[in-house]
Amino acid sequence: MMTRQKQFEKYLADPTHRIYPVVDFDSTTDRLCPLDFTSNNIELNMQILSSTETFGDWVSAKLADSGCRYGIGGYDEHRTIYSRSTHFDTDLEPRRLHLGVDIWGPAGNPVYNFMDAEVHSFKNNDHFGDYGGTIILKYQMDELVVYGLYGHLSLASLDGLSVGKAIAGGTAFAVFGAPAENGNWPPHLHFQLIFDLQGRTGDYPGVCQFSQKATWLYNGADPNLVLQHTFNSTDVNRD
């Protein structure tokens, strides 16, 4: 029997299924800057991370210095940056493994739906370090159901939504939120794909305990497989 991951990959590989860009990007002029939030990045210390404004200035400087429109990265990344918030602490082991891809850019940047979907749920997850404005869309890929979680959105992005509302592929349906409404992060989009929401609405963990990595990754798909229709791998600036 084909696994859900293989079903997902097969669906995306079918050229009759159109996959739309998630953000505006012109591959002839725009560039991407990979951002590393693991312990390997010794430049990003707690003095920077302790202030959302300072952290945001650091991200903005990285994009400006590299001439890039967006920063990107994070899937299956063991990150140190979550130590800035108790939201990711647990009694046994802190949550540090990132389950989505982050696209870093300015507040107000539009977010597009990558294919036809309906609204599953939405919520303002307003703890420090959480998602802030969050929308979960439900995608039907032949027999496979996949949920797309879009986090760190503006609160205005939630206006006018209702469960079951249809959102066509290619439609701009949300924007990056400012820190005051996106969980106190520098503006960015958290994009995550999930097979089973396990009864949750408007929320699903985007960071897990490293010891449970295999379980959490098994219940999701690599968002880069969708984002390759937005960005080409050759666009990433690795200088």
Side-chain angles (χ1 to χ4, degrees):
M1 183 177 178
M2 190 179 296
T3 65
R4 294 176 298 186
Q5 180 65 38
K6 290 298 183 183
Q7 287 178 276
F8 173 74
E9 293 173 2
K10 181 181 178 181
Y11 186 92
L12 292 186
D14 186 336
T16 66
H17 298 145
R18 182 171 182 184
I19 308 300
Y20 294 87
V22 172
V23 294
D24 290 315
F25 189 82
D26 184 342
S27 61
T28 64
T29 57
D30 296 332
R31 304 171 73 195
L32 290 171
C33 178
L35 294 176
D36 180 359
F37 294 130
T38 71
S39 59
N40 293 327
N41 187 352
I42 59 175
E43 177 186 349
L44 194 59
N45 55 40
M46 281 308 300
Q47 182 177 355
I48 294 173
L49 292 174
S50 62
S51 163
T52 302
E53 182 178 0
T54 304
F55 186 14
D57 289 343
W58 182 89
V59 172
S60 296
K62 286 296 179 186
L63 300 189
D65 292 347
S66 59
C68 291
R69 182 168 185 177
Y70 300 107
I72 193 165
Y75 182 65
D76 191 12
E77 182 176 73
H78 194 207
R79 293 176 158 184
T80 55
I81 60 172
Y82 298 119
S83 60
R84 69 191 296 266
S85 170
T86 58
H87 178 66
F88 301 99
D89 293 342
T90 70
D91 291 339
L92 298 177
E93 177 190 349
R95 296 187 293 134
R96 295 291 185 265
L97 187 82
H98 194 237
L99 300 171
V101 168
D102 287 337
I103 303 173
W104 303 80
N109 196 79
V111 178
Y112 300 87
N113 189 15
F114 71 87
M115 59 174 278
D116 292 348
E118 65 178 46
V119 175
H120 173 271
S121 52
F122 51 96
K123 183 181 177 183
N124 178 18
N125 296 290
D126 60 354
H127 296 97
F128 181 86
D130 210 333
Y131 290 128
T134 311
I135 299 173
I136 299 178
L137 301 184
K138 179 181 178 182
Y139 298 92
Q140 189 71 49
M141 300 183 178
D142 294 333
E143 297 82 17
L144 178 68
V145 174
V146 178
Y147 299 94
L149 186 150
Y150 300 81
H152 307 300
L153 306 174
S154 72
L155 296 185
S157 298
L158 310 185
D159 293 345
L161 294 183
S162 59
V163 174
K165 179 179 179 179
I167 299 183
T171 300
F173 69 96
V175 301
F176 292 19
E181 56 187 358
N182 78 357
N184 280 280
W185 292 96
H188 71 287
L189 170 69
H190 172 92
F191 177 54
Q192 182 174 348
L193 298 172
I194 305 150
F195 294 128
D196 182 359
L197 287 172
Q198 301 166 336
R200 294 176 173 87
T201 57
D203 192 14
Y204 186 87
V207 184
C208 73
Q209 295 171 327
F210 187 79
S211 64
Q212 298 179 11
K213 168 181 174 174
T215 298
W216 287 93
L217 290 181
Y218 182 75
N219 190 40
D222 185 348
N224 289 299
L225 297 176
V226 169
L227 292 176
Q228 68 184 0
H229 295 268
T230 303
F231 314 115
N232 297 322
S233 59
T234 54
D235 294 327
V236 179
N237 172 31
R238 299 189 181 279
D239 295 338

